[in-house]
């Protein structure tokens, strides 16, 4: 059947397989001949990472298996979503250590993309709070992986985009909390330099993120709203409620031209009058502002969209981002969302995205001429020593990938050692020459 | 909602319903044919916060085994608040057209077994003068179509049964909900092409628990837009309908 991920681009023809348990998965792997097979969680990656001729779904690995109440260690199936974990454990006083901007991701997907959250500068990526996991290899064997057992496989699988095998069970450290509320400080920055300085000044704050108005130019280039947050100690422990809004069908994409975006941007910016303000808000709007609107991706129309997310080393942050934002603003191709975050140190995984510095994520509606622009941006990112996030990517070239992820050779070696290259290949991995 | 019985507890939709209620510390009596899957589910519900979980294995076509299990349920709970009937299969329509044995077996799984179970449960709930019987049928029961009328007719039989049961139990305060899902992404439909009309088991579960919590006694189309789709389908004149390849 035709399948796409969050960006609704590209589309692939895939056969779906939903193993009901480990045994049916491993039996299938042993008999399998399709060399283009890949695991898939909730399809919240944007491009072709979770697309292949045969897609192995984790939608029946959705059980909690064990919970150590003292230590906060949860063992669960790889198809369990962060939404499910939060709904169950927030009322018991636990949160996830690292969360992306949507709770509708599986723990398997979070490991495979080694996702980061607003606390990366202090707490690193998702995998850094994973104690271990069980995965099914190409041979059909199930192995337990951790930093101690099969360490190389562990480092290859975290951030490895499903290319080493299928994660079936995960052991996860949760974070104790005493309230489901967040103490948020919102600060306006007049331009990019101010924004980066503010990130530096608030480095000790657990959560930080900036929302950039990409259409602002000249002296206001990079004007933004910065949001800093800490878990509060007061307030009830209650999980968030589900959103009621939904975008049921693809909207005509002309609704999303540069004028509508400009209007949206100025509105957002004007909402905060003071240069600094305090809010006491539930974690739901703080971490998942868009989860309340189901299928908001359909706002970009049926041709879909792509998210361009890059990271640039700290020393080049201001120069690199200024050049890129200028180029985008010149192109008049606006982005509905532009999110800026500070990254702390990189971890040991071969293909994890974060490097110490800054990351910016922008959405682009798919239309003629876009890929030429993105190709130009790639060259700027490379020149500043940066890289693109694989889980958002649908188009980067093999050369760009290999140049910016030098540890790809280590990854390749481990992957071949476990015979994974014979079976686990996504449309993305083929494009990237893996 | 405190004490819950689920038949066909391993169904994806039933599991999603159970998980929601487990977060609210309910007690469960889970019945299904695969013991291993039941253990996995029982463990999961306990971690979520279920007050207690009892399990029993049952192939619903083994009618002799029904009574003792229902007996156990009412021994276990001083009062049963919700009985959810969720088991089912999606028969191969073409095969059922030439194999009468198979057709009858599918009717046993999808219709008569549910009716047998609910007959016993209804009498006991009538005595206790409270509780909700919720049974998953299907929009497929609303009109016979050449592609799956065996399944449709089995579901229609249960729906009509539920209609009468609701009518009978109204005065004793027992609620009867006929749950009619549209297309849901579950193991039953693993091989189907999925599109915009498809819902997740979690969405269906939310609709079910909402109806139960609000004390509804009615037919529930889930997701809600199926009420409209089926209204249209039911009203296509037969002389046109029979020419359609649905
Ligand atoms: C609105 C939105 C906001 C986001 N915000 C952030 C953010 O702030 N930070 C961030 O880091 N990411 C972010 N993301 C990206 C998202 O977190 C990742 O794409 C994540 O991997 C999606 O998880 P999934 O379960 O949907 O995986 P899928 O999209 O289904 O798959 C993603 C990758 O994981 C692999 N995979 C999935 N399950 C398994 C498994 N069981 N075993 C092995 N491999 C597996 C797939 O093969 C694929 O390569 C965001 C996405 C959206 C839509
Ligand atoms: N999925 C849809 O699109 C859809 C639409 C409308 C209505 N429905 C109905 O929704 C209900 C739930 O189905 P689902 O979609 O959640 O599918 P599912 O996950 O496949 O669940 C069906 C369950 O029925 C059980 N079952 C089958 N035969 C049985 C038997 N003889 N004895 C005991 N249990 C038996 C199966 O047990 P095992 O786990 O042991 O196989 C399975 O757990 C069914 O009544 C179905 O007809 C489904």
């Amino acid at each position: 059947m035709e399948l796409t991920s969050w960006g609704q681009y590209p589309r692939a023809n895939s056969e779906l397989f939903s193993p009901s348990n480990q045994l049916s998965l491993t039996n299938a792997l042993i008999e399998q001949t399709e060399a283009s097979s890949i695991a898939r969680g909730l399809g919240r990656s944007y491009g072709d990472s979770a697309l292949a001729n045969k897609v192995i779904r984790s939608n029946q690995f959705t059980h909690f298996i064990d919970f150590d109440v003292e230590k906060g260690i949860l063992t669960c199936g790889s198809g369990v979503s962060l939404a499910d974990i939060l709904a169950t454990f927030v009322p018991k006083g636990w949160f996830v250590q690292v969360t992306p901007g949507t709770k509708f991701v599986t723990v398997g997907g979070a490991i495979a993309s080694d996702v980061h959250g607003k606390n990366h500068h202090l707490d690193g990526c998702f995998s850094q709070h994973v104690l271990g996991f069980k995965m099914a290899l190409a041979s059909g064997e199930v192995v337990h992986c951790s930093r101690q057992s099969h360490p190389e496989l562990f480092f290859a699988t975290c951030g490895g985009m499903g290319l080493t095998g299928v994660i079936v069970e995960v052991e996860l450290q949760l974070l104790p909390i005493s309230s489901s509320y967040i103490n948020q400080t919102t600060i306006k920055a007049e331009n990019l330099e101010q924004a980066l300085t503010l990130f530096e000044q608030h480095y000790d704050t657990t959560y930080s993120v900036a929302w950039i108005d990409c259409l602002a130019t000249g002296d206001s280039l990079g004007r933004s709203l910065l949001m800093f947050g800490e878990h509060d100690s007061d307030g009830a422990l209650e999980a968030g409620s589900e959103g009621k809004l939904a975008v049921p069908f693809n909207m005509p994409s002309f609704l999303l031209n540069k004028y509508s975006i400009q209007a949206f941007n100025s509105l957002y910016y004007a909402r905060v009058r003071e240069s600094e303000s305090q809010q006491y808000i539930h974690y739901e709007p703080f971490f998942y502002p868009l989860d309340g609107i189901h299928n908001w991706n359909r706002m970009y129309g049926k041709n879909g969209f792509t998210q361009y997310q890059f990271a640039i080393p700290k020393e080049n942050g201001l120069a690199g981002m200024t050049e890129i934002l200028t180029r985008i603003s010149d192109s008049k191709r606006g982005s509905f969302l532009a999110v800026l975050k500070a990254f702390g140190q990189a971890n040991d995984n071969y293909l994890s995205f974060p490097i110490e510095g800054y990351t910016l994520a922008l959405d682009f509606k798919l239309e003629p001429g876009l890929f030429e622009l993105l190709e130009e941006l790639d060259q700027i990112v490379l020149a500043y020593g940066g890289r693109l996030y694989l889980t958002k990517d649908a188009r980067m070239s093999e050369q760009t990938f290999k140049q910016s992820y030098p540890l790809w050779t280590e990854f390749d070696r481990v992957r071949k050692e476990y015979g994974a290259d014979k079976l686990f290949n996504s449309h993305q991995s083929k494009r990237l020459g893996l | 909602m405190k004490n819950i019985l689920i038949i066909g507890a391993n169904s994806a939709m039933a599991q999603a319903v159970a998980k929601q209620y487990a977060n609210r510390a309910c007690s469960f009596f889970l019945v299904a044919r695969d013991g291993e899957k039941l253990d996995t589910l029982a463990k999961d519900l306990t971690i979520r916060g279920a007050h207690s979980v009892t399990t029993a294995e049952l192939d619903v076509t083994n009618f002799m085994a029904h009574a003792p299990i229902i007996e156990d349920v009412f021994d276990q709970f001083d009062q049963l608040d919700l009985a959810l009937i969720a088991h089912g299969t999606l028969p191969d329509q073409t095969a059922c057209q030439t194999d009468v044995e198979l057709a009858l077996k599918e009717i046993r799984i999808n219709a008569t077994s549910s009716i047998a179970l609910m007959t016993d449960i209804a009498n006991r709930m009538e005595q206790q003068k409270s509780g909700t019987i919720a049974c998953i049928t299907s929009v497929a029961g609303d009109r016979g179509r050449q592609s799956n009328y065996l399944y449709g007719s089995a579901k229609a039989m249960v729906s009509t049964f539920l209609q009468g049961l609701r009518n009978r139990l109204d005065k004793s305060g027992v609620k009867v909900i006929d749950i009619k899902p549209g297309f849901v992404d579950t193991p039953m439909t693993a091989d189907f092409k999925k599109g915009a009309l498809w819902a997740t088991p979690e969405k269906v579960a939310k609709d079910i628990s909402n109806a139960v919590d609000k004390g509804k006694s009615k037919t529930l189309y889930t997701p809600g837009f199926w009420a409209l789709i089926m209204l249209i389908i039911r009203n296509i004149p037969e002389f046109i309908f029979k020419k359609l390849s649905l």
Side-chain angles (χ1 to χ4, degrees), chain A residues 223-333:
Chain A
R223 72 171 173 178
S224 39
L225 279 181
L226 283 85
M227 271 84 83
F228 297 98
E230 291 288 357
H231 288 284
D232 207 277
S233 48
D234 282 340
L237 282 167
E238 50 200 11
S241 60
E242 294 298 315
K244 295 246 171 345
L245 292 170
V247 180
F249 300 106
N250 284 317
M251 302 226 299
S253 60
F254 63 78
L255 284 177
L256 212 78
N257 57 28
K258 75 178 155 71
Y259 301 105
S260 57
I261 290 164
Q262 214 155 16
F264 181 88
N265 280 359
S266 342
L267 195 73
Y268 194 97
Y269 194 69
R271 209 186 65 189
V272 181
R273 292 248 153 62
E274 317 81 45
S275 61
E276 183 169 333
S277 60
Q278 299 278 339
Q279 297 89 25
Y280 173 75
I281 61 171
H282 191 262
Y283 73 79
E284 192 79 23
F286 181 77
F287 288 109
Y288 313 115
L290 289 175
D291 278 357
I293 312 169
H294 290 298
N295 298 321
W296 61 260
N297 54 336
R298 292 179 181 157
M299 287 199 296
Y300 285 91
K302 68 173 174 3
N303 292 338
F305 71 114
T306 188
Q307 187 170 86
Y308 192 76
Q309 182 170 5
F310 63 89
I312 290 213
K314 199 165 188 168
E315 62 275 18
N316 297 337
L318 183 59
M321 249 159 343
T322 302
E323 194 171 334
I324 291 177
L325 282 173
T326 309
R327 183 66 197 88
I328 291 172
S329 135
D330 287 349
S331 78
K332 301 274 188 271
R333 287 176 198 270

Side-chain angles (χ1 to χ4, degrees), chain A residues 19-22 24-25 56-63 76-80 166-168:
Chain A
S20 60
N21 53 30
Q22 266 184 46
S24 68
L25 169 64
I56 303 168
R57 301 178 69 189
S58 60
N59 65 338
Q60 294 203 68
F61 296 129
T62 50
H63 296 104
C76 65
S78 61
V80 165
V166 182
I167 303 166
V168 291

Side-chain angles (χ1 to χ4, degrees), chain A residues 64 67 72 74 76 80-91 93-107 110 115-119 123-126 129-130 170 172-177 179 182 206-207 231 283 287-288:
Chain A
F64 295 146
F67 184 60
L74 173 68
C76 65
V80 165
S81 68
L82 297 196
D84 197 9
I85 295 179
L86 295 174
T88 305
F89 291 99
V90 164
W94 300 96
F95 205 73
V96 285
Q97 295 268 3
V98 167
T99 176
T102 171
K103 61 183 184 300
F104 299 117
V105 301
T106 63
V107 292
V115 301
H116 56 269
K118 297 176 177 183
N119 53 345
D123 301 318
C125 288
F126 193 85
H129 309 277
V130 170
V170 178
L172 202 61
Q173 176 66 56
L174 299 184
L175 173 78
I177 49 168
S179 157
I182 302 282
T206 308
Y207 299 110
H231 288 284
Y283 73 79
F287 288 109
Y288 313 115

Side-chain angles (χ1 to χ4, degrees), chain B residues 83-159:
Chain B
L84 175 67
I85 319 296
H87 65 270
T89 48
L90 194 59
D92 177 339
Q93 173 62 37
T94 329
C96 287
Q97 281 161 214
T98 49
D99 183 344
V100 176
E101 262 319 300
L102 179 66
L104 292 177
K105 181 177 159 227
E106 295 293 358
I107 299 277
R108 278 200 297 281
I109 297 174
N110 288 295
T112 43
S113 67
S114 300
I115 288 173
L117 286 159
M118 286 190 287
T119 298
D120 197 353
I121 295 168
N123 292 340
R124 291 166 186 265
M125 277 197 174
E126 189 177 35
Q127 275 175 12
Q128 80 179 21
K129 293 201 175 344
S130 69
T132 299
I133 297 175
C135 178
I136 308 183
T137 64
S138 171
V139 294
D142 277 15
R143 190 155 191 181
R145 292 171 299 126
Q146 61 178 301
S147 58
N148 75 343
Y149 62 85
L150 190 95
Y151 176 71
S153 58
K155 292 295 191 186
M157 172 146 110
V158 178
S159 286

Side-chain angles (χ1 to χ4, degrees), chain B residues 14-232:
Chain B
Q15 292 201 35
V17 173
K19 287 174 179 180
Q20 284 189 24
Y21 282 112
N23 285 351
R24 301 195 223 154
C26 295
S27 296
F28 294 88
F29 199 112
L30 308 176
V31 180
R33 68 173 164 190
D34 183 329
E36 211 171 301
K37 283 196 212 164
L38 262 183
D39 290 345
T40 307
L41 178 62
K43 183 84 216 228
D44 172 279
L45 298 179
T46 306
I47 293 171
R48 280 169 206 271
H51 183 261
S52 70
V53 185
T54 309
T55 59
E57 285 181 39
L58 171 72
D59 182 319
V60 293
T61 54
N62 180 6
F63 288 79
M64 303 294 287
H66 289 189
I69 286 188
I70 302 302
E71 185 78 41
D72 282 352
V73 172
F74 283 84
D75 280 349
Q76 168 106 11
F77 298 137
D78 47 358
Q79 171 181 315
L80 181 66
D81 300 300
L82 170 65
L84 175 67
I85 319 296
H87 65 270
T89 48
L90 194 59
D92 177 339
Q93 173 62 37
T94 329
C96 287
Q97 281 161 214
T98 49
D99 183 344
V100 176
E101 262 319 300
L102 179 66
L104 292 177
K105 181 177 159 227
E106 295 293 358
I107 299 277
R108 278 200 297 281
I109 297 174
N110 288 295
T112 43
S113 67
S114 300
I115 288 173
L117 286 159
M118 286 190 287
T119 298
D120 197 353
I121 295 168
N123 292 340
R124 291 166 186 265
M125 277 197 174
E126 189 177 35
Q127 275 175 12
Q128 80 179 21
K129 293 201 175 344
S130 69
T132 299
I133 297 175
C135 178
I136 308 183
T137 64
S138 171
V139 294
D142 277 15
R143 190 155 191 181
R145 292 171 299 126
Q146 61 178 301
S147 58
N148 75 343
Y149 62 85
L150 190 95
Y151 176 71
S153 58
K155 292 295 191 186
M157 172 146 110
V158 178
S159 286
T160 308
F161 174 87
L162 291 166
Q163 227 170 31
L165 190 65
R166 181 183 308 123
N167 194 206
R168 172 187 142 202
L169 296 182
D170 189 58
K171 55 184 162 301
S172 46
V174 176
K175 316 277 192 270
V176 177
I177 307 178
D178 180 1
I179 302 151
K180 295 190 175 181
F183 297 138
V184 191
D185 183 3
T186 71
M188 181 175 281
T189 51
D191 298 331
F192 283 55
K193 283 196 173 135
K194 317 248 160 32
L197 293 177
W198 286 75
T200 60
E202 288 74 26
K203 160 70 185 157
V204 169
K206 205 152 289 161
D207 283 355
I208 295 175
S209 62
N210 261 338
V212 172
D213 295 345
K214 288 189 183 140
K216 297 279 194 234
S217 192
K218 64 163 192 179
T219 297
L220 173 77
Y221 286 92
T222 167
F225 59 78
W226 282 97
L228 187 64
I229 297 180
M230 295 322 293
L231 180 74
I232 296 168

Side-chain angles (χ1 to χ4, degrees), chain A residues 33-60:
Chain A
T33 49
E34 175 58 69
S36 167
S37 297
I38 200 75
R40 181 177 173 95
L42 282 166
R44 254 54 176 198
S45 53
Y46 279 65
D48 48 4
S49 314
L51 299 180
N53 293 350
K54 181 155 184 178
V55 164
I56 303 168
R57 301 178 69 189
S58 60
N59 65 338
Q60 294 203 68

